[in-house]
Amino acid sequence: MDDNESFAVIVRTDTVNLPAIIVQPPVDPVLLGVLPHVGSSGGERILLSTLGLGLSMDSNLNLYYDQSSTTVSVCDSISLIDSSTVACITKKNMVVPKSALKLSFTHKSSTTGKTTTVTLSCATSTDCEYETSSAATPTVSGLSKTNSDKTLELTVTGFTFDSSYTISVLYGNLAANSTSIVSSSAVSGTFSSGLPPGAVQVSISFTKGDRVTYTAGRSETITLNSMANSPVTCSWAGGGNLEFT
């Protein structure tokens, strides 16, 4: 159901006996809980179990916790998967103390036309508790470049994985074109166009079922190496043609 306040009923006019239609009051949106309760500070996918949101409700979704007199948003991205599930990918390299998370969104009533901000919290606060921990945060403990700096080979500590996981190797926001699990503690990612120069955070995501866990970012710098194809003599006034590889 797209809307928790209204719906359409198609009534057949033939001789088929229809059961009685009972119309209930609108379903009040409810936040039931979050999973997991402990995740990686490198990034984690949090799933929120809800009721009564409606599939058309996706405006200004925000998952946050209260800290003193301020609110701290935890999601790098957040989306409504279905009318009972919201998915949040937490921000990279963010430490979250044990806190009861709250979900807010903008709701426009289909019956009154009024727009309000709705804030949901769990009836039992522990059902919505989430925190990051070092024990739940994998790290990239080793990195080497091969294949003319197109392939990164990464050693991972603090996380147990195997071929049942889907992995992604990220060089900043650039994802490897192909990846492989080298061993129970190492992965590789190949970037077909090479790695752009500069300093970035290198990380890995591990996906299995509904769970997605990111390693803490590791700083890495690719230097720019180039040289002129041939000696060129140019005027100080400019106008020379230089080609670099």
Side-chain angles (χ1 to χ4, degrees), residues 132-160:
T132 58
S133 76
S134 57
T137 303
T139 59
V140 178
S141 55
L143 183 151
S144 62
K145 308 182 195 74
T146 60
N147 189 26
S148 300
D149 287 354
K150 291 184 178 181
T151 299
L152 296 180
E153 295 185 354
L154 311 169
T155 303
V156 181
T157 57
F159 193 78
T160 302

Side-chain angles (χ1 to χ4, degrees), residues 2 5 18 36 116 122 125 132 151 153 171 175 181 189 203 211 223 225 239:
D2 287 347
E5 293 182 321
L18 296 174
T116 57
C122 284
S125 62
T132 58
T151 299
E153 295 185 354
Y171 179 81
I181 295 178
S203 61
R211 189 77 182 261
T223 57
N225 295 315

Side-chain angles (χ1 to χ4, degrees), residues 82-95:
D82 55 45
S83 59
S84 61
T85 310
V86 175
C88 158
I89 301 295
T90 62
K91 296 177 181 178
K92 296 178 181 179
N93 302 316
M94 179 182 190
V95 176

Side-chain angles (χ1 to χ4, degrees), residues 161-184:
F161 60 93
D162 54 31
S163 59
S164 63
Y165 283 82
T166 299
I167 65 170
S168 179
V169 176
L170 302 169
Y171 179 81
N173 293 322
L174 180 65
N177 301 99
S178 62
T179 60
S180 64
I181 295 178
V182 179
S183 68
S184 59

